[in-house]
Every structure is written in structure tokens, then in C-alpha cells.
Amino acid sequence: MNVLFPDAGEAGKMVGEHGVNLFYHSVAKRKLCCAVRKVNPLQQELAGMQAWITGRRRDQESRSQISLVEDDPVYGLKKYNPMLDWTETDVWTYIREHDLPYNDLHDSHYVSIGCACCTRAISTGEDPRSGRWWWENKDTLAECGLHVSSLARPGEGESGEGI
Ligand code: SF4
């Protein structure tokens, strides 16, 4: 397993210019933080590859339109989503049946887990993705940019107020 890290110089420059909590200030700054800390390292890791496989599902509210095979202009890859028609129940049934390891936070109502400062537990009935970036407008696409294939660059074409 490869563990990826953000570029220290790029992260330091961003924090120096915008502060350590920039993700609360606006959607654009939140997307900048996600780009520096997540998207750019992954982009480097995927360079030269032809395709990647994700665990995205259509029952996640912001992902209802995904297809089995997509062209991803952010990474220049084919993207395969073989679990697109799985439900959350299907996932947990599979985990239990095959005794797979999982993050203990899931047992405390953390359904979608990202960076600690941008992740919270949710209540029963809330959208599974509502535990991520909950301070942003509801119509903002709740994605970090790793999977936003409709955007030329993470953060472009979106707006919204911070807190
Ligand atoms: S999830 Fe939050 S802390 Fe993590 S990279 Fe995105 S904005 Fe930054």
C-alpha cells in the first residue's frame, strides 16, 4: 500500500496565504485545500496509468448520476464504478459476511469519513454524505475533487459562502 502526502511546500504556501482553517472561509478555499492535500498527490500517483476503479455508489446523493464507465478529465483516465448499484445495506452485508476490517468510526454514526476537521457524525435518516463539509450550502457539490469528473479543475464552477 502506498501512503501519499501533500507537497510540503505547496501546503505551507497555502496555509501561509490563507490560514490553517481556510476551508471554512469559502467553497473555493475549501476546494483549494482538498486540491493541495488530496487531489494533487493522487494525480501524481495516477500519472501514467490508464484507468482506476472506485467504490462510488448512486445511492450517495451527490453521486446519483454516475455511470459504470466514465472519462475522467481531471486525471485523464477511464474510471470504473463497479459498485454503482450497491446500497449501503449491500456494503455492510458484504463486510459482515466476509469478516472484512472497517473503520471503527462507522459504529459511531460517521458514515462518510474524510479529514477530521471536515467530518462529523450524522443522525439517522440524514444523507450519508451530509457528514462532510456540512457548513456549506446544500446545493454545493459535496465532493473533495477526487471524483469530480465534470470539473476541469477541482473547485471550478462552484460557489458558496463559508461560515
Ligand atoms: S477534507 Fe477538509 S482538511 Fe481535508 S483536504 Fe479537504 S478541506 Fe482540507
Side-chain angles (χ1 to χ4, degrees):
M1 181 176 72
N2 288 351
V3 179
L4 307 181
F5 296 92
D7 179 84
E10 192 178 20
K13 181 172 182 290
M14 175 185 72
V15 171
E17 289 177 0
H18 303 292
V20 71
N21 289 323
L22 73 161
F23 39 82
Y24 289 137
H25 299 164
S26 69
V27 173
K29 287 182 181 175
R30 193 269 287 173
K31 292 285 184 178
L32 172 64
C33 187
C34 286
V36 168
R37 297 188 188 283
K38 296 170 156 185
V39 178
N40 294 353
L42 183 63
Q43 201 160 25
Q44 288 179 14
E45 186 70 9
L46 293 178
M49 299 190 183
Q50 295 182 317
W52 64 326
I53 301 171
T54 86
R56 296 187 306 161
R57 309 192 317 270
R58 284 178 175 152
D59 70 345
Q60 297 164 310
E61 187 175 319
S62 61
R63 297 173 172 175
S64 61
Q65 303 300 315
I66 63 174
S67 303
L68 182 61
V69 184
E70 300 175 331
D71 289 309
D72 189 330
V74 175
Y75 302 103
L77 300 171
K78 283 284 184 201
K79 180 188 285 186
Y80 293 87
N81 303 302
M83 296 173 65
L84 80 169
D85 287 328
W86 284 43
T87 65
E88 187 178 349
T89 301
D90 292 333
V91 172
W92 282 106
T93 299
Y94 191 91
I95 288 171
R96 307 283 186 217
E97 285 181 354
H98 294 83
D99 195 26
L100 299 180
Y102 64 89
N103 191 321
D104 289 341
L105 283 173
H106 286 297
D107 293 332
S108 301
H109 300 281
Y110 286 81
V111 176
S112 177
I113 302 170
C115 300
C117 47
C118 299
T119 299
R120 68 171 181 175
I122 63 171
S123 302
T124 303
E126 280 192 280
D127 177 74
R129 297 287 293 175
S130 62
R132 308 288 295 282
W133 311 294
W134 58 95
W135 59 87
E136 294 180 354
N137 293 342
K138 185 77 175 79
D139 58 356
T140 299
L141 193 60
E143 296 280 1
C144 60
L146 292 178
H147 293 298
V148 182
S149 58
S150 61
L151 300 176
R153 289 285 305 159
E156 286 185 4
E158 295 185 68
S159 61
E161 297 301 319
I163 57 174

